[in-house]
Amino acid sequence: MTFENLKEEVKVIVSDANTSVDKKLTSICELLQTNVAYYDWVGFYFKNGDKPELKLRSFAGEPTDHTIIPFGKGICGQVAVSNSNFVVPDVKAQDNYIACSIFVKAEIVIPLFVNGENIGQIDIDSHTADPFTKEDEEFLEFVNKEVALLLEQGS
């Protein structure tokens, strides 16, 4: 499925008035993990209240022990501080990387903004070396904009 087709599917999930926010987030994770061959783990982390940490809310893929990530730690924690996309073609080359699986070779993390505030992020792990392109970044930015609308509506 192309990114254009996936965008339409994401819009359908977000607009479903009969589904909870958490179920919609999980459905988006499952959609991406199932339809993009090199998206082996997809998750949404969000700021954990007033604490300087992220908490895993929804994911698709193997379960992870990393349900809480302090700001600044790992790729996700760095994005929580930098407010910038972070594409890691080779996780072994990163000093501040938290290994979630021995199979992960690359990671992309895109911050999620609501009303200008970085409230979370989408995190993708790949078992493929250097798979992410500018198209992945743009597509995941689109996904996060849709999720931001969903969160702003609260439904």
Side-chain angles (χ1 to χ4, degrees):
M1 193 177 292
T2 68
F3 285 145
E4 287 307 311
N5 295 122
L6 287 171
K7 284 180 180 180
E8 293 307 313
E9 293 292 322
V10 168
K11 287 180 182 178
V12 168
I13 291 168
V14 167
S15 66
D16 182 354
N18 298 316
T19 305
S20 71
V21 171
D22 284 332
K23 178 63 181 145
K24 290 177 186 181
L25 291 173
T26 299
S27 293
I28 292 169
C29 291
E30 290 168 348
L31 175 73
L32 302 187
Q33 196 247 349
T34 302
N35 290 287
V36 182
Y38 52 93
Y39 286 14
D40 295 294
W41 189 92
V42 179
F44 285 103
Y45 284 92
F46 289 95
K47 188 174 179 205
N48 191 10
D50 291 334
K51 299 175 186 171
E53 65 186 21
L54 298 164
K55 184 175 183 178
L56 182 63
R57 183 163 174 183
S58 301
F59 72 95
E62 291 293 315
T64 179
D65 292 336
H66 302 287
T67 57
I68 301 287
I69 298 176
F71 285 5
K73 185 154 174 58
I75 308 308
C76 290
Q78 290 176 74
V79 169
V81 174
S82 73
N83 299 323
S84 300
N85 297 355
F86 200 157
V87 180
V88 182
D90 178 6
V91 295
K92 290 183 182 143
Q94 284 295 317
D95 291 339
N96 191 5
Y97 171 68
I98 301 171
C100 292
S101 161
I102 60 169
F103 302 109
V104 176
K105 292 189 167 93
E107 183 172 8
I108 185 169
V109 179
I110 308 295
L112 197 159
F113 296 93
V114 172
N115 299 321
E117 180 187 355
N118 181 353
I119 60 131
Q121 53 202 228
I122 190 168
D123 176 21
I124 315 271
D125 290 344
S126 181
H127 299 170
T128 304
D130 197 12
F132 304 115
T133 66
K134 189 70 180 160
E135 287 172 286
D136 290 280
E137 279 190 80
E138 291 168 358
F139 169 66
L140 294 170
E141 288 169 354
F142 167 85
V143 170
N144 277 359
K145 284 178 184 159
E146 290 295 310
V147 170
L149 291 172
L150 169 68
L151 296 172
E152 287 169 355
Q153 296 163 0
S155 60

